[in-house]
Amino acid sequence: MSVITELDQVADELRDADKLLLTTHENPDGDALGSLLGMHLLLSQLEKDPAMFLAADEFPLPHEYRYLPLDGVMNEPPNDLEERLVVFLDCGNIDRMPVAFLRTDGIRIVNVDHHHDNTRFGEVNLVDPSASCTAELVWRLAHELGVAITEPMAEALYVGLVTDTGRFMYRNTGSDAHRMAAELIEAGASPQKVNRQVFESLPFCRLKLLARALARVHRLDAGAITATHLTREDFVDTGSDEHDSEGIVDHLRSVEGTVVAVLVRELLAEERAGLRKVSLRSVDDTVDVSRIARGLGGGGHLQAAGFTTVLPLPELLERLRVEVGEQL
Ligand code: 5GP
Ligand code: MN
C-alpha cells in the first residue's frame, strides 16, 4: 500500500468524523505534543470536536513544553468515547500509551506516525518512516484537507520538527523538513522563540543533573560505547524529575570515536523502583539501536531508541556490549 493511499485514507477518516479523541505516547516529547496540538488546531479549523487526552501522571509536562497552549487536554476518558474516532500521533506501539480505556473493544483507531517499527495497531494507519517527524505528517494532512496553516498551528508543528530532527541535524532531516520549516516560518512560526522556549529556558537543576552524568561517563570497547548512569539520589539531590535527563545522552554521542551512546537512569516512581530506563543513540547507520531496544522490550528509531529493564547495571552494560559488538 503506498503512502499516498494511506494519506488519503486518513484524510477521509478525519473528514468523515465529527468527534475525535487525539492522543500520543507516554512521556510525550516535542513531536508528540507539537503533533497533538497541531492536529487539534487543524481539526478545529474543520469545525470538528477534537478532544485531546494525556494521562494525569504526565503532568506537569516537561518544563520546555509547558508554554504550549495545551490547557484543554483531558485526563479522563470522555463519556462519549464510543462516538469518537481515536487518533494516535507519534506512537509506534499501543503499549506506549498504557491507558486501559484506549483498548476498549469497538473503538476506531487512526494511527499517524513515523516510527519504522510501528506495529500498525490502527484500523487505519498513516505510517511513514521517511517523514522527519509526526508533525510533518500532520502538515501533509493539512494540505490534503485544504486547511490553512495558521500561526498557532505553525508554532506547534515547528516544535515537533525542530525537536525530532535534532534542530535539523539528524539523518531524518531531508529537503521536505526544510520546505516544511520555510512554510511554517512564513505562516508565523518563530525559530528564535521556539529556541528560547524549548532549548534555552531550562531549569537550573538540569545543569546540575548533567554535571552528575558527565562526572560518571565511561567508555567501553575502545570508546565505541560511551555510557553513563543516573541514580535516584542524583535526581533527588539536584531537585530534578525524570524529564530533566532529556538531552544528556546527546552529549555522549558527540564524543569522537563513539558508535553508541548510552544513558541509564533509575526510574523514580515508587511502583517502578528497581527499573531502569535506557536511552540509546547511535552516530550513524552502523548500529541500529532500535533493534537492540526491541530485543529488550522497547523500540524506537535506527539512531534513537529506548527501553525499560530490570537488569542490574553491570549485566545491562555487558548485554549492550555484546549487542553492539554483533552489529559492528
Ligand atoms: P528516549 O531515549 O529519548 O527516551 O527515546 C528515544 C526514542 O526511543 C523515542 O523517540 C521512542 O521512539 C523510542 N523509545 C524510548 N523508549 C521506548 C520504549 O520503552 N518503547 C518503545 N517502543 N520505544 C521507546
Ligand atoms: Mn516523533
Side-chain angles (χ1 to χ4, degrees):
M1 193 189 298
S2 78
V3 167
I4 298 299
T5 314
E6 289 186 359
L7 188 78
D8 289 340
Q9 278 185 328
V10 170
D12 285 344
E13 290 282 331
L14 300 180
R15 233 183 252 115
D16 292 347
D18 290 322
K19 294 174 154 197
L20 304 98
L21 184 67
L22 316 180
T23 194
T24 179
H25 57 80
E26 61 179 341
N27 303 318
D29 56 13
D31 191 27
L33 296 171
S35 302
L36 184 71
L37 183 55
M39 181 61 95
H40 177 77
L41 294 164
L42 184 167
L43 293 167
S44 299
Q45 254 193 76
L46 290 173
E47 300 189 346
K48 309 284 183 184
D49 168 4
M52 296 182 280
F53 171 83
L54 284 174
D57 57 8
E58 303 296 355
F59 293 86
L61 291 171
H63 191 272
E64 61 268 49
Y65 304 125
R66 283 181 209 161
Y67 81 99
L68 290 170
L70 284 160
D71 342 314
V73 173
M74 43 199 311
N75 313 133
E76 297 293 333
N79 303 328
D80 54 1
L81 175 66
E82 60 293 338
E83 294 169 32
R84 292 184 180 265
L85 178 69
V86 176
V87 182
F88 275 84
L89 296 150
D90 200 45
C91 185
N93 172 333
I94 198 162
D95 294 333
R96 293 208 72 209
M97 181 39 101
V99 174
F101 83 85
L102 289 168
R103 288 163 183 67
T104 308
D105 282 345
I107 61 172
R108 187 166 179 79
I109 293 181
V110 169
N111 169 12
V112 178
D113 183 38
H114 69 132
H115 288 89
H116 76 113
D117 57 359
N118 188 294
T119 55
R120 307 185 66 88
F121 57 85
E123 269 66 45
V124 181
N125 301 282
L126 167 56
V127 176
D128 182 3
S130 80
S132 60
C133 52
T134 299
E136 186 176 323
L137 299 173
V138 176
W139 175 68
R140 287 189 209 161
L141 282 165
H143 283 287
E144 183 66 26
L145 290 161
V147 171
I149 310 285
T150 58
E151 184 172 325
M153 206 192 287
E155 285 197 356
L157 297 178
Y158 196 83
V159 170
L161 178 62
V162 85
T163 53
D164 254 31
T165 58
R167 308 184 216 186
F168 303 102
M169 286 294 154
Y170 297 158
R171 62 180 270 163
N172 59 352
T173 310
S175 51
D176 274 351
H178 282 286
R179 263 188 282 275
M180 171 175 165
E183 204 181 290
L184 298 182
I185 292 167
E186 281 162 9
S190 160
Q192 189 198 13
K193 177 182 165 193
V194 171
N195 186 51
R196 289 295 298 160
Q197 295 280 8
V198 175
F199 299 110
E200 295 183 344
S201 303
L202 303 180
F204 183 50
C205 63
R206 286 216 187 166
L207 220 51
K208 295 195 265 183
L209 193 67
L210 173 64
R212 295 265 178 133
L214 294 182
R216 227 175 262 142
V217 172
H218 57 280
R219 308 191 77 190
L220 303 168
D221 294 335
I225 297 178
T226 301
T228 194
H229 66 275
L230 289 168
T231 63
R232 291 165 75 95
E233 289 71 42
D234 292 324
F235 286 90
V236 173
D237 294 351
T238 60
S240 302
D241 65 33
E242 290 186 334
H243 309 303
D244 291 318
S245 62
E246 182 83 36
I248 288 178
V249 69
D250 299 311
H251 288 270
L252 277 50
R253 169 157 64 179
S254 65
V255 182
E256 185 181 21
T258 299
V259 180
V260 173
V262 181
L263 170 69
V264 182
R265 59 178 173 87
E266 292 177 354
L267 292 178
L268 302 182
E270 217 49 69
E271 67 277 11
R272 301 178 93 181
L275 289 177
R276 293 181 173 77
K277 174 75 207 267
V278 183
S279 289
L280 302 176
R281 299 291 185 273
S282 63
V283 296
D284 55 28
D285 50 17
T286 315
V287 172
D288 170 2
V289 288
S290 75
R291 210 167 101 196
I292 300 174
R294 260 193 315 284
L296 286 149
H301 303 284
L302 299 177
Q303 285 185 235
F307 61 93
T308 299
T309 184
V310 292
L311 287 177
L313 194 59
E315 281 91 329
L316 173 60
L317 290 173
E318 191 47 39
R319 173 81 184 258
L320 292 174
R321 284 184 63 193
V322 172
E323 298 271 348
V324 170
E326 279 172 5
Q327 288 194 45
L328 278 178

